[in-house]
Amino acid sequence: MAAKNFGCRVVNRSKSPVVFMILFALLMFSMLADSIVSKISLESAAFNQKRDYQALQSPKVVRNIKRNVVFPLPLTVSTQNKIIRVDNEHGIGKFRRRRLPEYEIFTSDELTKKFHGRVLEFFNHGCEVHFFMTWITKVGSFGRREIMAVESVFKSHPNGCLMILSRTMDSVQGYRILKPLLDRGFKVLAVAPDFPFLVKNTPAEAWLDDMKSGKKDPGEIPLAQNLSNLLRLAVLYKYGGVYLDTDFIVLRSFKGLKNTIGAQSIDVVSKNWTRLNNAVLVFDMNHPLVLKFIEEFALTFDGNKWGHNGPYMVSRVVRGVEGRAGYNFTILPPMAFYPVDWMKIGSFFKLPKDSAGWRWIEAKVWQLKRQTYGVHLWNKQSSKLMVEEGSVMGRLMGENCVLCKHVYSS
């Protein structure tokens, strides 16, 4: 028994160093792992703390309740991803950061540098009348309503020329949209405009510089709308011609018009105009009134008031120069371009409910054919309205189209 017990004690003693080494190794591994985890946690916390501190200290991003981002300028424009990139050195001005593809129009590139030559070449083909439109939004939005407006130009002016100033339409997709008209022999071309070239040596040149440097706030109104307001003036001043909005249906020839703007509304008693509109402009090259429009746009620009840089702007200028020597122009009554008020445009799209309504349609169509150059559709109010067959617009579109597809889905 003693020997047996002694044998057991010998065996236990012989195993002790092995067990001790295993326990010691486990202890050291546990301490090492705990140290590593602690270090990682500390470094992660330090990094997060530093990142949070930098975010609090950075002036680049301040979120407001409208989910827009405010940042200091000057800015540069990325033509690849169509977003504004900040150069945070001076922080000259602030405005809300948005995805603004229309900012591409501020830049000149290899395509836009060909603009002037393309304009001269295009209008050097016996054009009866020179027309311009602008399109400062995505090409996919140029739909049936806009095509109908283009068709109406050529219905009344088969030998006219229409240039659409648009970077997005000056593309393969834009060409496909216009191809049915080109196949019919009509002269229509989408051209990417050279905005810096067009405003050079005009009061708008400084406005453009201020906008690019961040000194000028584009405001809450969609910038494309205000860019179109300026672009139409710049191109008419540079080349002369007829500007039309893309929601204007032409009903008769513009050949007899010269240096003309239309009244949107008149005083019912005095018959004097109360507001003009810039959806239709007909002016010679270098006309002093157009230069005055550009000057007023640049000096009083406000991107937060609807119409301030468009209809209200031309109204302010004309009211100030009307009757003064050196400004020769004509103001046509509302029936010429704006025969229906924007609040009543819906009546032109609907079928009548009774015989009196049918008689009204017949009388209205007869009147428009004889007294109106075209109808402004006030697209903001009417874009979602369907053209009902037999309605005023159904009749007018059906008689003033050249392709005549999708008239009742425009």
Side-chain angles (χ1 to χ4, degrees), residues 70 82 102 271 293 314 381 400 407:
V70 179
K82 300 182 180 180
E102 57 263 35
K271 302 302 180 182
F293 288 154
V314 295
Q381 282 70 38
N400 292 277
V407 169

Side-chain angles (χ1 to χ4, degrees), residues 20 23 47 50 60 66 69 88 108 139 154 184 268 304-305 363 375 396 399:
F20 176 79
L23 291 174
F47 173 79
K50 181 179 179 181
K60 290 184 180 179
K66 295 183 178 181
V69 180
N88 186 23
S108 293
V139 63
F154 294 112
R184 295 286 189 95
V268 294
N304 294 307
K305 296 179 181 178
V375 181
L396 295 178
E399 295 174 12

Side-chain angles (χ1 to χ4, degrees), residues 69-71 73 75 92-98 100 103 106 207-221 223 226 297-298 300-305 309:
V69 180
V70 179
F71 60 83
L73 300 180
L75 59 85
I92 296 174
K94 292 184 178 181
F95 64 78
R96 290 168 178 80
R97 183 180 184 183
R98 303 187 296 267
L100 295 172
Y103 267 96
F106 289 164
W207 176 88
L208 178 62
D209 291 340
D210 286 346
M211 188 64 72
K212 290 196 294 185
S213 68
K215 295 179 182 178
K216 188 72 67 176
D217 181 0
E220 293 293 333
I221 302 297
L223 184 60
N226 284 318
F297 178 97
T300 67
F301 178 83
D302 189 334
N304 294 307
K305 296 179 181 178
N309 314 297

Side-chain angles (χ1 to χ4, degrees), residues 164-216:
I164 302 172
L165 305 177
S166 174
R167 181 182 285 267
T168 58
M169 285 290 289
D170 191 0
S171 62
V172 173
Q173 188 176 350
Y175 173 79
R176 288 172 179 164
I177 292 173
L178 300 176
K179 190 176 184 301
L181 291 162
L182 294 169
D183 290 344
R184 295 286 189 95
F186 297 116
K187 287 171 275 192
V188 56
L189 180 67
V191 178
D194 190 340
F195 208 106
F197 167 78
L198 283 170
V199 301
K200 190 174 180 61
N201 297 324
T202 75
E205 185 174 12
W207 176 88
L208 178 62
D209 291 340
D210 286 346
M211 188 64 72
K212 290 196 294 185
S213 68
K215 295 179 182 178
K216 188 72 67 176

Side-chain angles (χ1 to χ4, degrees), residues 356-409:
W358 281 109
R359 288 194 297 272
W360 177 83
I361 286 182
E362 289 296 331
K364 180 59 67 175
V365 171
W366 186 90
Q367 179 191 36
L368 293 173
K369 286 181 178 180
R370 285 156 179 79
Q371 300 180 20
T372 304
Y373 284 93
V375 181
H376 189 234
L377 300 183
W378 308 107
N379 219 26
K380 189 174 182 180
Q381 282 70 38
S382 70
S383 61
K384 294 183 180 180
L385 298 178
M386 296 297 294
V387 179
E388 297 182 11
E389 188 172 359
S391 65
V392 172
M393 286 316 305
R395 294 272 299 274
L396 295 178
M397 287 183 174
E399 295 174 12
N400 292 277
C401 57
V402 292
L403 301 176
C404 300
K405 297 179 179 178
H406 314 297
V407 169
Y408 300 108
S409 58

Side-chain angles (χ1 to χ4, degrees), residues 264-321:
Q264 176 182 326
S265 59
I266 59 173
D267 184 271
V268 294
V269 177
S270 68
K271 302 302 180 182
N272 294 325
W273 65 269
T274 56
R275 184 188 302 174
L276 306 181
N277 201 290
N278 63 336
V280 180
L281 298 168
V282 186
F283 283 97
D284 293 338
M285 179 192 310
N286 297 326
H287 196 280
L289 182 61
V290 178
L291 183 62
K292 200 72 175 175
F293 288 154
I294 296 173
E295 180 182 44
E296 179 74 7
F297 178 97
L299 293 178
T300 67
F301 178 83
D302 189 334
N304 294 307
K305 296 179 181 178
W306 186 92
H308 178 83
N309 314 297
Y312 292 109
M313 181 273 293
V314 295
S315 300
R316 291 194 305 270
V317 172
V318 171
R319 190 169 284 114
V321 305

